[in-house]
Amino acid sequence: LVCLTVCAFASSALAAQPSAALSKAKKDAEAKGYTFAPSRDEILAGAKKEGSLRALLGFDIPTIKALRDGFRKKYPFINPHFEEHGNPTESQRFLLELKTGRVSDWDISNVLSEAQHEFVPYLEKLDLRAMAEFGVLQIPPKMISPESRNIIALSSTVDASAYNKKLLPPDLVPKTWEDFLKPEHSGRKMLADIRTNSIAGLVPAMGLEWVESFARKVAAQQPIWVRGHTRYLVAMAAGEYRLFFGTYYHGVMRMKKKGAQDLEALIVEPVPVRLTETHAILKGARRPAAAMLFLEYAASAEGQKILWDVEPFKSSIYSPGSKTEELVRGKKISVGDWDHIAKQHLYMEKLTAAYGFPKEEKK
């Protein structure tokens, strides 16, 4: 009898601990002006009452369709309406509309990464970070901003370089960042984007001073300055160029998927990885519960597989077992996390100056 009593007491105490922790988390969130849903059942009940969802998503249309179909299959009681909203100009325009007080019927919006702090006043104060930390939402907590607590980065961009394996001899393929500075790559022998977001990805690991110095040395190589990636990767695949300094892994792999077999992605350590595809639930959203379920779905293994297979080749470094996490596993990485996202535009301004404010060279 004593054993049964003690065991029952211990079991009761263990059951009470999560409840007490959740209760405290809810009080802490509310003290800061946030809403905290203490249970998944509460979120599900709310979503069933809402019955629909409207979202502006920063993905390609095929990805949006795949996410919609998968989400609808998982939650048949929610009718989703999604639209593409990935262009930075569109995001800036939408932000201006929010600032003027325009009322919209969208529940989720793509958030321009470099302007996320400007978006914060127009976002619903849901403590998604705490809900993820306590398992109310099945989302890796690091995918959610620890500062705003309601912006989520659904994927990560791996910055890479590219080369044409028929044009660039194996012994000249760079293995370190310094290898790009070899004499064999100077004098208009490689492409370099005038936009410095890729090279800025090295700042977390190497420090801004080192990256500024490196940028000046890249400029001294007299590269062919370009703007944008796709058309130059197409030209590279056709044999016009042999090396592209600072492009995107997913862009190279997309070209290979389309048949550009002479094109190779080049990943150099430390590997720059930036949190991207930031989204959030808008202030006054009519369907916040359904919105939370969608963000959870997009962050799930199923959603992350869609982002890799359909986007393609994008998923979150913080999603265990995702293709992006596998790609950089065991490598030294330079993660442009939430702290660095806020400073990215400052890094880019300094690095553009280090490049010497180059202009795109028109063909």
Side-chain angles (χ1 to χ4, degrees):
L1 179 60
V2 172
C3 179
L4 288 173
T5 302
V6 171
C7 290
F9 175 78
S11 176
S12 175
L14 287 171
Q17 286 175 5
S19 177
L22 278 172
S23 178
K24 184 179 184 304
K26 181 177 171 63
K27 287 180 180 178
D28 290 345
E30 290 173 347
K32 297 174 184 175
Y34 287 87
T35 297
F36 179 97
S39 76
R40 183 175 181 77
D41 288 343
E42 182 178 307
I43 295 172
L44 283 168
K48 287 177 180 178
K49 287 181 181 179
E50 294 162 0
S52 61
L53 175 65
R54 289 173 57 81
L56 295 169
L57 303 178
F59 303 110
D60 293 344
I61 289 176
T63 304
I64 291 172
K65 289 180 178 177
L67 288 170
R68 180 198 62 200
D69 293 346
F71 181 66
R72 199 169 196 171
K73 184 176 180 181
K74 187 173 180 67
Y75 300 105
F77 50 84
I78 299 174
N79 180 30
H81 174 79
F82 299 158
E83 291 186 12
E84 183 184 20
H85 199 254
N87 187 299
T89 303
E90 291 177 342
S91 294
Q92 283 284 12
R93 188 182 303 118
F94 187 67
L95 176 59
L96 288 174
E97 291 174 356
L98 293 174
K99 288 181 176 180
T100 59
R102 178 183 171 186
V103 177
S104 80
D105 192 33
W106 297 104
D107 302 301
I108 295 173
S109 173
N110 177 40
V111 172
L112 194 62
S113 294
E114 56 264 36
Q116 62 173 300
H117 287 88
E118 294 184 66
F119 272 89
V120 169
Y122 310 102
L123 306 180
E124 193 69 20
K125 292 198 72 173
L126 294 163
D127 198 338
L128 301 180
R129 176 83 179 209
M131 284 186 262
E133 289 170 344
F134 281 88
V136 177
L137 290 172
Q138 297 300 308
I139 298 174
K142 286 185 176 181
M143 290 176 72
I144 303 168
S145 167
E147 182 181 350
S148 74
R149 311 193 70 79
N150 55 5
I151 300 176
I152 181 171
L154 291 172
S155 74
S156 304
T157 292
V158 175
D159 291 305
S161 292
Y163 67 98
N164 184 308
K165 63 184 181 182
K166 282 191 174 179
L167 299 180
L168 190 66
D171 60 315
L172 289 183
V173 175
K175 297 178 176 59
T176 68
W177 290 103
E178 288 78 4
D179 283 349
F180 287 97
L181 307 178
K182 287 182 175 181
E184 292 86 351
H185 302 310
S186 68
R188 302 179 62 77
K189 296 284 181 61
M190 67 179 179
L191 303 173
D193 195 345
I194 62 172
R195 193 163 187 262
T196 57
N197 55 340
S198 289
I199 191 173
L202 285 171
V203 173
M206 306 301 289
L208 182 56
E209 185 177 345
W210 185 93
V211 182
E212 283 186 277
S213 174
F214 182 67
R216 285 190 285 270
K217 293 172 184 175
V218 170
Q221 290 288 79
Q222 298 179 313
I224 301 168
W225 294 109
V226 301
R227 177 67 186 94
H229 297 199
T230 303
R231 61 178 168 151
Y232 292 102
L233 289 173
V234 170
M236 177 175 281
E240 293 186 37
Y241 307 106
R242 67 178 195 173
L243 182 62
F244 194 154
F245 171 79
T247 184
Y248 308 137
Y249 177 83
H250 67 269
V252 179
M253 299 309 292
R254 181 183 290 145
M255 292 294 300
K256 286 180 67 68
K257 189 175 182 180
K258 292 179 179 178
Q261 294 308 307
D262 292 336
L263 205 60
E264 293 291 342
L266 178 58
I267 294 178
V268 178
E269 297 182 49
V271 185
V273 183
R274 292 176 288 117
L275 305 189
T276 49
E277 308 297 357
T278 44
H279 291 75
I281 300 171
L282 292 166
K283 188 175 184 178
R286 293 172 55 196
R287 296 156 284 256
M292 284 190 279
L293 290 181
F294 174 73
L295 295 179
E296 180 188 63
Y297 173 75
S300 71
E302 183 177 333
Q304 292 290 295
K305 187 175 188 302
I306 289 172
L307 297 190
W308 183 271
D309 291 345
V310 184
E311 180 67 20
F313 309 113
K314 275 189 180 181
S315 53
S316 174
I317 191 175
Y318 293 137
S319 176
S322 74
K323 291 296 183 179
T324 298
E325 188 269 332
E326 287 182 2
L327 178 66
V328 299
R329 188 184 298 166
K331 293 181 171 63
K332 183 180 179 181
I333 57 177
S334 179
V335 182
D337 59 15
W338 292 103
D339 183 50
H340 290 285
I341 285 177
K343 301 171 185 174
Q344 178 82 354
H345 69 288
L346 298 175
Y347 300 157
M348 291 175 65
E349 287 175 6
K350 288 182 176 293
L351 294 173
T352 299
Y355 269 171
F357 302 101
K359 303 289 185 183
E360 178 185 6
E361 299 182 34
K362 303 291 185 180
K363 294 184 67 175

